[in-house]
Amino acid sequence: MASRSFEYIQDYLNIFGLKMWQEEVMRIINYNVEQECNTFLRQKVFDWQSLYQSQHIPIPRFPPIDESQTFIGRLARQLLNITNPTLTLYVDPVKSWYDMRTNEEVLNSSIFGKLVDALEPFGLQGLDRLYCFMIVTELQKFTKASTKLILSDKAVMVQLQGAMRTLHPHSKTVESPAKFYPALITKFAKFSAPLAPYILRVGQIQILRQQISLTLHSLAKFESKQLVTAVETLNNALVANVTSHYTLDYVTPTDSLYEITPYLGACGHTQPLLQVYSTFKDIPMLPMLMFLHLHGHVCKLQYNTQCDLLVPARRVADPLDPVVFNVGLSTILRQFPSEYLVEFQELCAQYISSYSVAGTAPSTPIVFLKQFSDCSNSSLLLTRDCVPYNVLNTHIPK
């Protein structure tokens, strides 16, 4: 590697060769990430405004050959094409993607270690930053589409309000669920279908971000354990101060929160699945619409005992990755008030409880709700208040 050559000759020339290499590589990668992120910004960052461009040592710009402006954008989109959730299945225990038709492995987590070798940790961190911009864009598209669907169409709004009144309160069970729920789900299937691509794309990028975070964290702990420990300790102290603000009226300096963020990102000490990317206006009836959209797809899944996950049922017309769908759904609901997530879980619990009272408790929705609770970091205690414990204990794998 070229970095080793700089490290080798620095003692002979009495210069900081490795430091020069790292600073220049970081400048080149950050500049390309900045230019790629310009496509998602209204106010562009021009070369004369960039912190990474230099008049004395300018970084060259090449004409784009596709929708990507730089090599980092082509890399990000190529990973998205390979891990297409309608063609591949992500298996979380082994951190790998498999082709749905041939069951052959198409990608695994070792690719991120190879990216570190090729682009240094700065490249992986820049890729993670670019994916954040992509997620925000997809969330904005989802919000715009769902708002137009619910608020612009009065018929959909009236039907959703009628369904909500029927299911309220969520602690009660529905009579004849085998007739009520399928009819309700079929009625709204065509309305909620346009939202599926946004949910899948958000979940797909989130899983890639999670793998990047794991790679950076393991690499940082191996290369600089003391720095990682110091950053984590400082982060825990700041979080404790923010938490105590509500009881002790202690104000945490915002400068400290801002300054520690780059170090947390470089060490991979992030939690993409729990991150709030942006705040959006309230969308009434969104949990109800997401619940109906979810159970329109749950019927197309089956539980695989060998892999301990849900997989698309055989001979399904439009298969999709249930893990990606689960992560995307959890991420989207987290961008709205916490009541949305609670209401969504209550609707799912009511669905399961109604079927269990009728004597036909479905295992697939129960397993999905368990995985959703793990993904969204929410406890199943809420569910157990609405669903009989013996039903959860029977169907949820241990």
Side-chain angles (χ1 to χ4, degrees):
M1 293 178 61
S3 60
R4 293 182 180 178
S5 301
F6 275 82
E7 186 178 3
Y8 178 76
I9 66 173
Q10 66 179 357
D11 294 332
Y12 293 96
L13 301 179
N14 194 23
I15 61 173
F16 297 102
L18 184 59
K19 181 180 179 182
M20 292 168 57
W21 166 266
Q22 292 176 343
E23 289 180 351
E24 192 65 14
V25 170
M26 181 177 63
R27 186 175 75 93
I28 294 173
I29 290 177
N30 286 337
Y31 173 76
N32 282 271
V33 171
E34 183 181 68
Q35 295 304 311
E36 192 67 39
C37 293
N38 268 343
T39 59
F40 303 97
L41 298 176
R42 293 181 180 178
Q43 296 182 354
K44 313 296 181 182
V45 179
F46 299 99
D47 283 358
W48 58 272
Q49 296 175 315
S50 176
L51 297 175
Y52 311 107
Q53 186 60 283
S54 173
Q55 294 181 355
H56 304 287
I57 312 175
I59 300 174
R61 295 185 61 180
F62 302 97
I65 58 177
D66 52 15
E67 60 178 330
S68 302
Q69 300 295 319
T70 63
F71 74 93
I72 199 74
R74 287 189 290 272
L75 173 62
R77 290 177 174 84
Q78 185 62 27
L79 288 175
L80 293 176
N81 292 333
I82 296 175
T83 60
N84 189 339
T86 60
L87 301 177
T88 62
L89 181 68
Y90 176 71
V91 181
D92 187 64
V94 294
K95 311 299 181 185
S96 301
W97 287 262
Y98 291 85
D99 189 277
M100 289 186 183
R101 296 182 179 179
T102 62
N103 295 329
E104 295 181 356
E105 184 182 78
V106 296
L107 195 70
N108 55 44
S109 58
S110 64
I111 186 64
F112 299 101
K114 297 178 181 178
L115 290 177
V116 171
D117 296 336
L119 301 175
E120 302 287 341
F122 318 117
L124 211 57
Q125 189 180 0
L127 184 64
D128 181 72
R129 180 186 172 192
L130 177 58
Y131 277 145
C132 289
F133 278 89
M134 290 183 176
I135 289 179
V136 172
T137 301
E138 295 298 327
L139 290 172
Q140 291 173 349
K141 292 179 181 178
F142 172 85
T143 304
K144 183 178 179 180
S146 57
T147 303
K148 181 179 179 181
L149 175 65
I150 297 176
L151 299 181
S152 299
D153 196 332
K154 295 183 179 180
V156 175
M157 186 68 174
V158 171
Q159 292 177 2
L160 285 174
Q161 290 176 346
M164 184 62 71
R165 286 193 297 267
T166 304
L167 296 175
H168 189 79
H170 302 316
S171 57
K172 74 173 185 179
T173 57
V174 178
E175 298 181 0
S176 302
K179 295 181 179 180
F180 175 78
Y181 281 110
L184 186 63
I185 293 171
T186 304
K187 181 187 298 184
F188 289 95
K190 62 179 181 180
F191 297 107
S192 60
L195 303 179
Y198 306 121
I199 299 175
L200 291 175
R201 180 53 68 95
V202 170
Q204 180 188 11
I205 302 177
Q206 281 284 71
I207 291 178
L208 290 174
R209 284 203 65 213
Q210 189 180 34
Q211 296 304 312
I212 292 175
S213 176
L214 291 175
T215 303
L216 289 175
H217 188 63
S218 60
L219 180 65
K221 295 198 71 173
F222 180 79
E223 297 288 347
S224 183
K225 185 177 181 180
Q226 294 181 349
L227 176 61
V228 173
T229 304
V231 171
E232 290 179 351
T233 303
L234 178 58
N235 179 66
N236 293 335
L238 291 175
V239 171
N241 286 337
V242 172
T243 305
S244 63
H245 166 70
Y246 297 96
T247 56
L248 303 178
D249 196 20
Y250 177 78
V251 180
T252 303
T254 56
D255 294 342
S256 301
L257 298 175
Y258 177 78
E259 292 173 356
I260 196 178
T261 302
Y263 293 95
L264 292 173
C267 296
H269 194 68
T270 57
Q271 294 179 325
L273 303 187
L274 304 180
Q275 186 171 347
V276 177
Y277 292 91
S278 182
T279 56
F280 300 97
K281 296 181 180 180
D282 293 353
I283 303 177
M285 302 298 168
L286 181 62
M288 183 66 183
L289 185 63
M290 291 294 95
F291 163 75
L292 296 175
H293 183 65
L294 162 66
H295 288 279
H297 291 284
V298 164
C299 60
K300 303 177 183 178
L301 305 176
Q302 62 183 12
Y303 177 67
N304 188 305
T305 56
Q306 296 180 351
C307 301
D308 187 22
L309 50 78
L310 295 174
V311 297
R314 295 181 178 180
R315 299 179 181 179
V316 177
D318 299 319
L320 54 83
D321 191 338
V323 178
V324 174
F325 187 81
N326 197 334
V327 173
L329 192 61
S330 172
T331 303
I332 289 175
L333 289 175
R334 187 169 292 277
Q335 311 308 308
F336 296 91
S338 58
E339 293 79 7
Y340 281 34
L341 190 61
V342 173
E343 185 177 359
F344 175 81
Q345 288 184 304
E346 288 179 346
L347 288 169
C348 293
Q350 184 182 29
Y351 176 90
I352 297 171
S353 180
S354 299
Y355 273 97
S356 63
V357 171
T360 57
S363 59
T364 302
I366 297 177
V367 174
F368 187 93
L369 184 57
K370 166 61 170 58
Q371 295 179 352
F372 181 86
S373 300
D374 295 338
C375 177
S376 58
N377 197 28
S378 57
S379 175
L380 273 177
L381 293 176
L382 170 66
T383 308
R384 286 173 177 154
D385 292 339
C386 304
V387 182
Y389 182 81
N390 61 334
V391 175
L392 291 175
N393 192 36
T394 301
H395 293 281
I396 292 181
K398 297 181 180 179

